[in-house]
Amino acid sequence: MSKRSTKRAVTAVVSLIIVGLAFASQQGWLGTAKQAAEQSQPGLYSIDHFVDGDTIAVKMNDGTETIRMIGIDTPETHKPNAPVQCYGPAAAAYTKSLIGTNQVRLASDPKSTNRDRYNRLLRYVYLPGGKMVETELIKNGYGFAYTSFPFTKSNEFVSAQEQAKSASKGLWTNCQPFQEANGRWQTENL
């Protein structure tokens, strides 16, 4: 085969691939294929149940593992011997609607411990498209940056909190947030 014939053959194959991709894109097949690939990847976990705004339970290793999101604190809804806090139910509902039936990707933080004092795994939670659940919660006013413990994204979370506060989003307009002496933010009880 001559150089010219080889070049024509390569051009024809590339053209066919481009036409095929354009057709698949128009039919919506690429999005479906991408979602299927993401859902079948190791490291994605199905939700077993939602605990509250900053805690979920996932199916992991033939069991259920409780995940406490790193760097965020949402108002309480299930704390023993404590009343429900302002915007707690809204934060829990937002987490549930944000994640929905998606699987989530979990990531640890090198500055954080692996588990908290309640033996929950401490992890960042990502949606399949790459959005971090914690950032979405904070920037939309459903929770506070929880800086009592070191974590690498603390500056990002504090910045998102300041933006939500300045824009009077969520709990910043619907509750009366206050900062405790230890620096932790809270909302009043319902």
Side-chain angles (χ1 to χ4, degrees), residues 27-185:
Q27 299 299 315
W29 296 344
L30 292 180
T32 304
K34 180 182 176 201
Q35 287 174 332
E38 287 174 342
Q39 296 295 322
S40 66
Q41 289 180 22
L44 288 176
Y45 299 94
S46 296
I47 300 296
D48 184 74
H49 63 277
F50 295 89
V51 178
D52 61 17
D54 55 31
T55 308
I56 60 175
V58 299
K59 297 173 186 170
M60 182 186 286
N61 302 328
D62 298 322
T64 301
E65 188 74 59
T66 302
I67 309 299
R68 174 61 167 83
M69 297 179 202
I70 297 172
I72 184 169
D73 192 25
T74 61
E76 299 295 340
T77 58
H78 293 98
K79 188 174 183 177
N81 303 318
V84 173
Q85 291 180 311
C86 180
Y87 235 61
Y94 185 71
T95 297
K96 188 173 185 177
S97 71
L98 187 62
I99 295 173
T101 59
N102 288 306
Q103 290 184 316
V104 293
R105 183 173 309 283
L106 305 174
S108 61
D109 187 301
K111 288 186 175 183
S112 181
T113 60
N114 191 46
R115 293 190 181 268
D116 68 5
R117 63 183 176 173
Y118 304 109
N119 201 36
R120 300 175 296 189
L121 272 179
L122 297 172
R123 295 290 185 268
Y124 293 117
V125 179
Y126 292 91
L127 298 172
K131 283 186 178 180
M132 182 187 292
V133 173
E134 291 93 330
T135 304
E136 293 300 307
L137 285 162
I138 295 169
K139 80 178 188 178
N140 289 301
Y142 289 95
F144 303 107
Y146 189 32
T147 58
S148 297
F149 302 97
F151 62 101
T152 57
K153 298 186 182 299
S154 62
N155 290 339
E156 177 185 330
F157 287 9
V158 168
S159 176
Q161 177 175 298
E162 288 304 316
Q163 290 172 5
K165 184 178 178 183
S166 294
S168 297
K169 288 188 174 181
L171 55 76
W172 296 103
T173 193
N174 293 297
C175 304
Q176 296 175 356
F178 62 94
Q179 198 167 19
E180 296 178 328
N182 63 6
R184 186 175 175 191
W185 283 92

